[in-house]
Amino acid sequence: MMKGLIIFADFLLLNVILLAAVKWNPLMEDWDLTRIRAFSIFTNLGLLISQYYNSTIIHYRKVNAADMLRRIIRLSVTMVVVAYLLMKLMNQHFPAGYSLVGIGSIFLLLDLIARFIERQIVRHYRFMGRNSRFVTFVGNDTELQNIYHTLNDDASMGYRILGYYADAELMPQERQDGRHAADINMERLGTLQEFMDHLDHLEQLKIGDELYVCLSRTERETIRRISQFCDQNVIRFYFVPVSVETLGIDLKREMLDDIEIYTTYENPLENPVNKLVKRLFDIVLSLIFLLLTLPFLPFIWLFIKLQSPGPLLFKQVRTGLDGKDFNMLKFRSMHVNSDADRLQATKDDPRKYPFGDFMRKANIDELPQFWNVLRGDMSIVGPRPHMLAHTEQYSQLIDKYMVRHFVKPGVTGWAQVTGFRGETKELWQMEGRVKRDIWYIEHWSIWLDIRIIWMTLKSMIVHDKNAY
């Protein structure tokens, strides 16, 4: 129903744009009724065909903004191309190309706004307890705790956890964001053996629409039987690999010919094509940012000089790609002091002056780092570079800390837009930051970079409490 309503809204939006174009587009003012009808029919056909391949996904529960953006761009571009080709195929010899591109561009912009509104409506609808999916867990591994928080912490996803079947209680597990498994409000429904004994009596089990099973691979027959049970009862089956499997390390699956092997991490930016795409993206975007901010440079210089004697720029040696040092640039937001290379900024740091404090909260002090990006020391998106003292300290305390240096450091990063920005008072905060940095490295895509940039721009408008 949701998908159908959203597709209907797309066609309604397109035809409103077409009506407006007929009335106000100077390229269409001398068209007769026959041309207008043909243009409208072929444009609607283009959208119809495009919807078949690129229809909305905002009703999906596990979807992010980057996926939605990619889908809308493909929807709009495909609509324009297909409509143009259909007109040529049907021998419609009138100048429609520029009008199609204009209508497609307006449709893209307005559809993005519409998707945002529609997504908020869907999320609110599910937050109110409607359109829910019910979930049951089998097992008590810590990975199920992570899935529980992923599905349960955001009520707008529409998941309701019924409970779990396991031979033992879920044990408290330290989380990277400081919370504990004690936060889990989930009923233990019975033992694994009780679950298996009642597979032939569905009414005696408390099973939802989805079943997440996290058992050791040695339980092969048990897992297979549960999977068959789900198939027979139209229940979505998910197998969750046990988090440790006696090794105590996270492993990533790869195939060597037809042999399944595992590695400790994967890095899409080792691919030369991906590396080139990211570098070109960095150059173009950093040039745009530098040109846009150039007119404000005299005012920034003036405010800094009036409030704090000293240089305009602050240069600090930080750890970069492959663990090599580089000079990172910032607008100086603190009075000149001897602790700059040793102490992080705190909320009420006396070293900050008023305009410097404002620059830090609005991220203005980071703008010179786009010059670092042009030079190749940094990327726009990546793990934030740390002071040398912190690199030395945390590399001794956190196992995979140095893995974050396999890619260039960034002006902004996944950790910063997901709540791990600013001062790290406790070790778990840095562990959470490192975990998100490594996740970014392993899941990099240009769409993920765009998503992080968008989230960073939003944080400049909606103040981040950790920005100080």
Side-chain angles (χ1 to χ4, degrees):
M1 182 188 70
M2 289 179 181
K3 182 177 180 180
L5 287 173
I6 293 166
I7 291 174
F8 174 77
D10 283 351
F11 278 95
L12 184 62
L13 176 63
L14 174 63
N15 284 279
V16 169
I17 295 171
L18 286 170
L19 285 172
V22 170
K23 189 170 183 179
W24 289 301
N25 185 0
L27 297 176
M28 300 172 65
E29 61 184 4
D30 59 343
W31 288 11
D32 57 27
L33 189 58
T34 303
R35 283 188 176 183
I36 292 172
R37 283 177 177 170
F39 183 81
S40 300
I41 290 170
F42 287 120
T43 307
N44 276 273
L45 280 173
L47 180 58
L48 181 65
I49 294 171
S50 184
Q51 284 281 7
Y52 181 79
Y53 295 101
N54 306 292
S55 60
T56 179
I57 56 173
I58 72 167
H59 55 291
Y60 291 176
R61 296 166 200 275
K62 309 181 191 86
V63 64
N64 58 50
D67 294 330
M68 290 166 52
L69 175 63
R70 181 164 55 242
R71 184 61 64 102
I72 293 171
I73 291 174
R74 287 208 305 252
L75 177 71
S76 304
V77 172
T78 305
M79 176 190 75
V80 170
V81 171
V82 170
Y84 184 78
L85 292 176
L86 285 174
M87 289 182 195
K88 294 303 178 184
L89 187 64
M90 300 302 292
N91 295 317
Q92 299 293 320
H93 299 296
F94 57 92
Y98 289 115
S99 296
L100 263 177
V101 171
I103 287 170
S105 301
I106 295 171
F107 177 80
L108 170 61
L109 178 62
L110 295 181
D111 208 35
L112 279 171
I113 298 171
R115 283 291 187 276
F116 175 79
I117 296 171
E118 291 160 355
R119 181 65 171 168
Q120 296 309 308
I121 293 172
V122 170
R123 291 170 72 94
H124 180 72
Y125 186 69
R126 287 173 177 159
F127 185 82
M128 299 301 291
R130 299 176 176 87
N131 188 232
S132 297
R133 291 187 72 84
F134 295 91
V135 175
T136 304
F137 293 148
V138 175
N140 65 345
D141 189 79
T142 55
E143 280 301 320
L144 288 180
Q145 299 178 21
N146 296 329
I147 292 176
Y148 169 86
H149 285 290
T150 300
L151 299 182
N152 191 68
D153 287 359
D154 184 358
S156 65
M157 290 178 69
Y159 284 101
R160 303 291 179 264
I161 313 298
L162 297 177
Y164 68 99
Y165 290 90
D167 291 333
E169 298 280 349
L170 279 169
M171 299 300 293
Q173 175 72 21
E174 184 76 26
R175 296 183 68 205
Q176 294 292 354
D177 58 5
R179 285 182 287 179
H180 294 262
D183 299 329
I184 294 178
N185 182 22
M186 184 165 50
E187 179 186 359
R188 185 183 175 201
L189 304 172
T191 66
L192 177 60
Q193 189 58 51
E194 288 171 342
F195 176 80
M196 299 302 296
D197 289 344
H198 293 138
L199 284 184
D200 294 328
H201 305 281
L202 182 61
E203 69 281 356
Q204 298 183 32
L205 292 173
K206 197 172 182 180
I207 297 183
D209 309 294
E210 298 180 2
L211 187 70
Y212 288 79
V213 177
C214 188
L215 299 172
S216 173
R217 294 187 182 197
T218 59
E219 303 284 346
R220 185 187 303 270
E221 289 304 318
T222 299
I223 296 169
R224 181 180 290 117
R225 188 180 170 199
I226 295 173
S227 172
Q228 292 171 347
F229 162 80
C230 290
D231 291 342
Q232 292 166 0
N233 292 279
V234 199
I235 297 168
R236 186 68 63 89
F237 172 86
Y238 293 96
F239 174 70
V240 183
V242 173
S243 59
V244 288
E245 287 286 11
T246 71
L247 294 177
I249 57 176
D250 295 323
L251 296 173
K252 310 299 176 184
R253 179 175 178 270
E254 288 186 2
M255 296 302 294
L256 180 63
D257 195 8
D258 59 347
I259 304 171
E260 187 178 53
I261 60 175
Y262 291 81
T263 182
T264 51
Y265 80 100
E266 55 188 352
N267 182 1
L269 286 172
E270 289 181 346
N271 184 310
V273 175
N274 290 341
K275 191 180 294 186
L276 177 62
V277 168
K278 186 170 176 63
R279 181 60 184 150
L280 291 175
F281 181 77
D282 283 341
I283 291 172
V284 171
L285 220 59
S286 56
L287 282 172
I288 292 172
F289 273 109
L290 287 171
L291 289 173
L292 289 175
T293 57
L294 191 60
F296 301 99
L297 187 58
F299 300 100
I300 294 172
W301 175 84
L302 180 61
F303 280 121
I304 291 176
K305 285 296 182 182
L306 288 174
Q307 294 190 8
S308 177
L312 172 68
L313 295 177
F314 170 67
K315 299 179 182 179
Q316 187 175 63
V317 180
R318 298 212 176 183
T319 310
L321 179 65
D322 296 329
K324 297 177 182 176
D325 301 342
F326 74 101
N327 285 313
M328 192 187 77
L329 304 177
K330 298 177 74 172
F331 285 129
R332 186 172 55 83
S333 58
M334 294 184 174
H335 297 298
V336 177
N337 66 91
S338 58
D339 294 324
D341 294 328
R342 187 173 59 88
L343 297 179
Q344 281 183 299
T346 57
K347 188 171 184 178
D348 299 310
D349 202 314
R351 296 174 295 171
K352 293 185 289 187
Y353 56 90
F355 183 67
D357 190 36
F358 166 75
M359 285 197 299
R360 297 181 76 93
K361 290 178 178 177
N363 297 306
I364 295 172
D365 63 320
E366 312 284 2
L367 292 176
Q369 287 165 44
F370 288 108
W371 179 249
N372 284 118
V373 175
L374 277 180
R375 289 176 51 182
D377 297 325
M378 297 177 65
S379 179
I380 290 178
V381 180
R384 282 295 292 164
H386 292 163
M387 294 186 292
L388 300 188
H390 281 170
T391 300
E392 183 177 353
Q393 175 189 358
Y394 288 116
S395 62
Q396 302 298 317
L397 299 173
I398 302 173
D399 286 342
K400 290 193 174 186
Y401 179 85
M402 295 304 292
V403 172
R404 66 196 302 277
H405 300 107
F406 282 132
V407 298
K408 288 181 182 179
V411 178
T412 185
W414 182 240
Q416 282 63 46
V417 299
T418 54
F420 282 81
R421 178 186 175 184
E423 186 182 9
T424 50
K425 297 179 181 178
E426 300 180 39
L427 182 61
W428 68 262
Q429 293 172 310
M430 184 59 77
E431 288 174 337
R433 182 182 291 185
V434 171
K435 182 178 180 180
R436 280 156 176 77
D437 288 339
I438 294 174
W439 184 91
Y440 167 79
I441 293 171
E442 294 177 338
H443 295 84
W444 176 87
S445 72
I446 199 66
W447 297 103
L448 179 58
D449 276 4
I450 292 171
R451 180 185 177 190
I452 293 171
I453 291 170
W454 167 246
M455 293 172 73
T456 304
L457 292 174
K458 281 202 302 183
S459 72
M460 296 174 70
I461 301 170
V462 180
H463 175 56
D464 185 344
K465 64 180 181 180
N466 295 319
Y468 51 78

